[in-house]
Structure formats: C-alpha cells, structure tokens
Amino acid sequence: MSAVDEVSVAGGVRGVEPGPPTVMTGRLRLVLVVLLVAQFMLAVDFSILNVALPVIGKGLGFSLANLQWIATSFALCAAGFTLFFGRVADLFGRRRLFLAGLALLGISSLVGGLATSPELLLIARVAQGLATAAVTPAGLSLLTTAFPEGPLRDRALGLNGALMSAGFTTGAILGGVLTDLLSWRWSFFINVPVALAVLIIAPSVIKESKPETRPKLDIPGAITVTAGLLALVFGMTQAGEHGWTSPTALISLALGVLLLILFYVVEKHSSSPLVPVSVLKRRTVAWGNIAGLIAFVTETSLVFLMTLYLQEV
C-alpha cells in the first residue's frame, strides 16, 4: 500500500487508486524504438521501389505493363495474409512470429537485391509481402502489451501511426535517392542491416506475449478472408491490365466478393472469430476503416502512377 493510501485509510477516507504510469522507463524506450523501427521499415517497403521501377524494368527485362507486378506481388501477400498471421501470432507467440517475419524480410531483401531475373525478383517481393503480413500484426500486438493502458500506450500508438503514415512517403523519396546515387538494388539491401539490428536487440528487450486464453485458429475464417482478399486484389490488377470486361478480372472480383461475404457469415457464427463482427458495426471503427482505405488507395496509386508518368512521359 502506498503512503497516500495509508494516510487516506487512517483518516477514514476511501483509498486513492494510483493511475496508470505516465513516465517511460529506459527499457520501454528501447522497446518502443525497436518496434517503431520495424514498423517504419515495413511502411517504407510499400513505396521504396516505385521510383526505381523503370530502371528495374530495363535492368531485368520487365515490360512496362508488367512493372506493376513488382508492387502487386508484394501487396497481394501483405494484404491477404495479415489477419491469418495475426491469429498465428496469438497461438504460437507474438515475439516469435515477429522475429521470424523479420528474418524472412532480411533474407528476401538480400535475394531481391541480388536478383538477376524478373522471376527471382518477384519471388523476393512475395516473400517480403509475407514477412510484412507476419510482422505488422505481431508488432502492433507487442506494442499494446508492452505498454500499460493509459497515456504511455496512447503515445506509443500515436507514434506508430504517425511513422507508418510517414513511411509511405519516405519510401518514395528514399528509393529515388538510393537509385540515383547508388543502384536500385540498395532499395532492397537497406532492409538487411536494419532487420539484422532489430533481430539482435529485440530478443533481449521484448518479452514473449500470448493471450491468456488460447484462441482457436479459425481455419474457415482464415481461408475465406485470405482467399477473398487475394481474389479481390488480383481481380483489380487484371482489370487494370486487361480492362473491366476481362473474364478473368470479373470472375476474380466476383469470387473475392463472395468469399468476403462468406467470411462475414463464418465470423458471425464462430466461437473464436478472427474479426468480431460486433466491432465492425461500431461507427468509429467503420468510419475509420473507410477513411483509412480512401487515404491508402489514393496515396499508393498516386505515387505509383506519378513516378512512372514523370519518368516515362
């Protein structure tokens, strides 16, 4: 019992509960830096290759129409597997998945930087997307569990959101600088020392985190949402490449919508859903998702198209 509580009880006054801590310790600062560096690096990867696309195309033999797959192969995996890996992190340990994802990111970045063919580069981008899908939810969970609810957690989440937003723009600028001064390959290589540094520091400062109640994997939900997102993004890609009347695009889009509707139905009746349906019905969550979707779609498409236009046209 604190001195304040003892005085209050002695005087017949109800004890005053201490509020959540507001001062960040040295260890928490180090945890925050490690997690923010990892999340910022992932955000940078979304756009760091955009400026280098024409140079990559000429160097490895990509046609102009196929350059989009350098970005799309990454986005397909990053978007399609995030929810699934979020549940895997809950089951097997968030720190464990966080470190495994960073190791995969470092290896795939090294492979991408050394790539000598379009196929090898796309394989590296797919692996980077899978790594992003694993590290993003695990890192966010570690951030919320490392900091107690209150001002410290609010500050940590605010910094994380600001750096994630800044990372998309920083990636485009950094990619241009690296391509101009060194080579487009350094847009991959730059991830390697950062991932290695985080892998060395993180195990000693970040504690393992698992939910108190072990959740189920929710295989039907994982399959429907992953396949639905993959089909939806693939359908939009095909529509952009071959037109909105393309049978492949229409079938993929229709399949994606049907699978996401099925996902909603599955989650509604699941005892351990990946996404609780009740949360999605909240107005603040719904409007936040809509605003985030509009902002993300606008910025990523604008950066991709403008960098190609300014260099090629």
Side-chain angles (χ1 to χ4, degrees), residues 23-34 147 152 201 205:
V23 179
M24 193 174 296
T25 64
R27 177 187 166 276
L28 284 180
R29 287 194 185 95
L30 189 55
V31 170
L32 182 63
V33 169
V34 169
F147 292 88
L152 289 184
I201 298 172
V205 298

Side-chain angles (χ1 to χ4, degrees), residues 110-122:
L110 182 62
V111 172
L114 298 174
T116 56
S117 67
E119 294 79 13
L120 191 57
L121 184 75
L122 291 179

Side-chain angles (χ1 to χ4, degrees), residues 201-254:
I201 298 172
S204 60
V205 298
I206 299 177
K207 297 178 180 179
E208 183 58 278
S209 170
K210 290 183 181 180
E212 295 180 2
T213 304
R214 184 180 174 88
K216 296 179 181 178
L217 185 56
D218 186 20
I219 293 177
I223 292 174
T224 50
V225 71
T226 302
L229 290 172
L230 287 173
L232 202 61
V233 176
F234 180 74
M236 290 182 179
T237 301
Q238 290 298 298
E241 190 172 347
H242 303 291
W244 290 98
T245 57
S246 167
T248 304
L250 293 176
I251 292 172
S252 296
L253 289 172

